[in-house]
Amino acid sequence: MGFVGPNGAGKTTTLRILAGIFPPSGGRASLGGVDLVRDPVGAKRRLGFVPDTPELFAHLTVAEHLELAGRLHGVEDRDARAERLLRELEIDDRRDHLPDSLSRGMRQKVAIAWAFLHAPDVLLLDEPLSGLDPIGIRTAKAAIRARADAGSAVIISSHQLELVEAMCDSILIIARGRALARAPIRELKDRVREDATLEDVFFQVTGGAGPESAPSEPPSELPSDPDAP
Amino acid sequence: MSRAGALGFLVRRRLANRLRSAREKLRRPKYLIGAILVGLYFGMMVFARIASELVRVPRLATGAPPAVGGTAGAALAAVSPAEAPAAVSSTGPLLALALELGFPVALFLLALWAWAPVGSGPRIHPLGFEKADAHLLFPAPLARWSLLAYRMAAIQIPLLLSSFLFGFVVRRGGTLASVAGFQVFLNVLWLHRVSAALAHGVPSEAALWRRALAWAPGVLLAAGFAALVMTANLDPTALAGADPVAEVRRASESGLMPWVLLPFSAIAQTVAARDGPILGHGSAFLVALAILGMHIVWLVAVRTPFQETCLTSAELRDEVRSAIRKGRFRPGFLKNRGRPVRTRPFGLAPRGTATMAFAWKAILAGGRTWTPGYLVLALIGAGVSGRVVGALDLGVPPWFVPILVGVVAAMIPANLLLSPSREGIGTIDTMALLRPLPVRGHSVVGGIVLGETAVGLVWLTLIAAFGVGWGAALLPPGELGRLAAIVAASLVPAAAVMLLATSLRASIVLLLPTVGRVEIGPEAIGSNFLAMIVRSLGLSVLGGPVAVAALAGGVLVGVIAGMPAGWIGAGAAATLVLLLESVGLVLLGGRFYDRFDITAERL
């Protein structure tokens, strides 16, 4: 699912709540049916999270990052999985490098590998492709798609609407902390007009570009989300 | 268990890789020589310690733990080892009292400050989690207890280094007991700050019992403070009498004070431990460890928004670090960040030639501290220092020294400590932006030097204007013209002082650019140690003539005040040296810039 909204809409905050970093100020937050407040550890076992501009441990090599991820999640065959992931994301030649010697794109790939290693049920990806070169974007997109095909629930937050359109089946649009629309992308586009792009849908739903101009209520002709935060 | 193992793996591998990086750094001569120097220094200290043990002369009480007064002190003393020396000081009753009472009181006030429900200070440090911890570990299936244990384990080695530093270097002749004492002390201090910070993070909409539990330690501290104030039994007559120290001691041993200060006294005792085995000060250690345990239990039990506070703190810390490095950190930085920049008076903006543009940039940067509040502080500083120095008999008119010293004293802190202190480094830090501009190096460096000097002069003019205003109000009419002449003449030493300050800073940046870099780690201690020595030598060469010029400028002012006319030549010569050096500095710095010897990467 794509997760989009204007700057300041609350996307990163929402993802941080779902990642158990921020406490929800109201309502419920759960992952795979497990309540994040009542059983945070149980909920996080199902989670893989890639934050925006992820930071890595400065004194841990790439391979050690994945070793740590495997240990934290109790993955038995972590070495084999790490090896596969390093090859899949094309960073196997950097396994013994420290983050300082990696480019931004490489660090992003390590963060993605960290989130994928334990094959989580839920993947929260905040701008997962930022900093990647075209080859890296293709590689990462394929890797994300593969996880979704394998049954993981994937939520991608991004400002790149083309990317969201290409990768996601459905979309959630928020503004000012409120869900404005949640539906399959095709359905939303059809409701706007026959040849509409996701960008057209976005502007139609949010009513403009900035958080100030976003409507406080979802447009009536578009499907809204009653369970949204 | 597997997660504890994972976090152990993280701590272990981080340490191992840090050591590996340090080893690789030692291949560079700068670090190697520095490490050898530091090794020799510490080796000599240890050798001196062993030698002193071999020829040990029995000492009385130089390292004895400070006594805790009253019944509480007796309670602690009752379980202390019998061989612990008594608290007798050969350094005088005042110092002894300061050790016994001052440290616990200072700790108490610090604790009270950290728990005060105002201010943002403690927010910067909860747990010292880095962004990487927040991004990678917080979403992992780890309980709060595991995260806390991980951070505690991770900081023990840095704390141990600090403890050794305090135990062996600051308190020369200290033993392992002293080091262990500092280790406990620093852990308690650290956890206390974390607890206070997390209490600040409790949301107002949280349940009442949660808020009450979170703030309970703070309430206890406040109650203790109230008890201290209400039961303080100081006799003003005795305080003004022959032995005020005895009166303070008597008051400290009566009422509730010994009980309120008991935990703080115990912590103080662990730090004061110097002689005897590690647990020689058993009762104090036990109390201190109990306090440590209470902090841990509190942190685990109170359901404050732990991760959110820590992530926010990590982000704030990054901002502060970045601001310090760029010379943009000011008092109230956290409070004022994000606010729009104040409108500049008279539409000031960088304009003119490149040199003048950079000079303007420095002036405008300095303007960020030109606030009414600081001006008041500067004037108070001027008045106080002027009064103090003016009381001395220096053979000049009585109103001359107060005004001169006051003006210069008010100017120095404004420029050296607050205003554009690292603006020059900040400019060089933006080399990536400057490089593509068609600007020669001497324009950039000249602008830095000119700008920083000009900022000082602007400040001085402001203060001088106030000085003249005061003088007009206070002096007889006939003296006013003389006063104005002297204030104007004081611009000469002021400019010299500013050029001196600029010269010192610029020489550090231009000649030893790597000195400005903040490096952390044992391997960097040696390198920084070496850099300090080299820098001192460099400054003595570079700064010498400037210092002479500054002194001569001061003498020049004295000439106007009626000193021998022969000093005018000396002042002029010194000023010439100063100008030549400034020009040389600008040209030298410009060459470095043009030859790419100064880069943002090197800084």
Side-chain angles (χ1 to χ4, degrees), chain B residues 199 202-217 219 298 302:
Chain B
V202 178
S204 56
E205 64 268 22
L208 182 64
W209 69 269
R210 273 187 59 197
R211 279 182 285 154
L213 185 61
W215 283 102
V219 172
W298 187 92
V302 176

Side-chain angles (χ1 to χ4, degrees), chain A residues 44 55 57 59 64 72, chain B residues 3 13 17 133 135 138:
Chain A
K44 288 176 187 178
E55 295 277 337
F57 293 112
H59 291 285
E64 285 166 346
L72 284 170
Chain B
R3 284 176 194 93
R13 291 312 307 162
N17 286 334
D133 296 322
H135 285 176
F138 288 1

Side-chain angles (χ1 to χ4, degrees), chain A residues 158-176:
Chain A
S158 179
H159 285 300
Q160 300 175 47
L161 295 179
E162 319 83 62
L163 165 77
V164 172
E165 191 168 4
M167 293 193 66
C168 302
D169 306 317
S170 60
I171 191 170
L172 169 62
I173 302 176
I174 70 166
R176 283 201 238 168

Side-chain angles (χ1 to χ4, degrees), chain B residues 159-453:
Chain B
L159 286 190
L160 192 60
L161 285 175
S162 303
S163 299
F164 267 103
L165 197 69
F166 285 127
F168 275 93
V169 179
V170 178
R171 304 192 71 234
R172 288 162 187 272
T175 63
L176 285 180
S178 180
V179 174
F182 271 111
Q183 189 76 0
V184 175
F185 169 72
L186 292 174
N187 268 293
V188 173
L189 200 66
W190 183 78
L191 281 173
H192 177 77
R193 280 181 62 83
V194 172
S195 307
L198 290 180
H200 281 261
V202 178
S204 56
E205 64 268 22
L208 182 64
W209 69 269
R210 273 187 59 197
R211 279 182 285 154
L213 185 61
W215 283 102
V219 172
L220 279 176
L221 283 167
F225 183 72
L228 276 185
V229 172
M230 292 173 70
T231 62
N233 189 23
L234 277 171
D235 179 5
T237 316
L239 269 182
D243 195 357
V245 173
E247 171 59 15
V248 174
R249 182 182 294 282
R250 185 199 62 73
S252 73
E253 292 171 353
S254 63
L256 290 176
M257 187 178 286
W259 291 103
V260 172
L261 294 181
L262 176 64
F264 303 95
S265 300
I267 297 289
Q269 280 201 27
T270 60
V271 175
R274 182 182 286 187
D275 296 319
I278 291 179
L279 295 178
H281 304 263
S283 58
F285 267 100
L286 287 176
V287 175
L289 287 172
I291 295 167
L292 187 69
M294 284 162 61
H295 275 97
I296 294 172
V297 169
W298 187 92
L299 278 171
V300 174
V302 176
R303 294 173 59 195
T304 59
F306 177 83
Q307 285 93 335
E308 180 184 12
T309 309
C310 292
L311 178 57
T312 308
S313 147
E315 288 170 349
L316 284 178
R317 200 165 46 244
D318 271 7
E319 279 189 49
V320 169
R321 275 183 192 158
S322 171
I324 290 174
R325 189 168 175 275
K326 290 175 179 170
R328 302 207 166 97
F329 187 78
R330 302 284 188 279
F333 171 80
L334 285 176
K335 196 173 65 179
N336 295 327
R337 73 204 168 89
R339 289 188 186 175
V341 178
R342 285 180 298 148
T343 308
R344 288 161 180 156
F346 314 115
L348 292 177
R351 57 169 63 95
T353 63
T355 302
M356 288 311 296
F358 282 113
W360 271 116
K361 176 177 173 292
I363 292 170
L364 294 175
R368 283 196 294 257
T369 56
W370 298 348
T371 59
Y374 189 76
L375 192 60
V376 170
L377 281 180
L379 287 171
I380 292 171
V384 171
S385 53
R387 283 289 296 274
V388 170
V389 180
L392 305 174
D393 183 12
L394 298 179
V396 293
W399 42 265
F400 164 66
V401 173
I403 290 177
L404 177 63
V405 173
V407 165
V408 176
M411 182 199 66
I412 287 175
N415 289 287
L416 295 192
L417 301 180
L418 288 174
S419 64
S421 59
R422 295 192 67 192
E423 185 60 24
I425 293 178
T427 299
I428 294 172
D429 217 18
T430 53
M431 282 297 163
L433 294 174
L434 295 178
R435 283 275 177 222
L437 298 176
V439 176
R440 294 295 301 272
H442 57 77
S443 295
V444 178
V445 181
I448 293 171
V449 172
L450 189 61
E452 298 212 5
T453 306

Side-chain angles (χ1 to χ4, degrees), chain B residues 69-159:
Chain B
T71 319
L76 269 181
V79 286
S80 290
E83 62 272 21
V88 180
S89 174
S90 59
T91 50
L94 187 60
L95 185 58
L97 183 67
L99 284 173
E100 291 171 27
L101 192 61
F103 196 14
V105 168
L107 285 179
F108 175 74
L109 293 177
L110 270 176
L112 196 64
W113 169 79
W115 282 90
V118 292
S120 58
R123 282 198 296 132
I124 321 180
H125 260 295
L127 279 182
F129 277 108
E130 300 292 334
K131 270 191 185 170
D133 296 322
H135 285 176
L136 302 179
L137 295 185
F138 288 1
L142 292 168
R144 171 177 297 209
W145 164 253
S146 306
L147 289 168
L148 186 61
Y150 152 68
R151 273 316 294 172
M152 284 207 68
I155 63 156
Q156 289 312 307
I157 288 178
L159 286 190

Side-chain angles (χ1 to χ4, degrees), chain A residues 129-151:
Chain A
L129 307 185
S130 64
L132 296 179
D133 60 18
I135 299 172
I137 288 176
R138 191 178 61 186
T139 307
K141 276 165 73 174
I144 294 168
R145 191 80 240 179
R147 268 69 196 173
D149 292 343

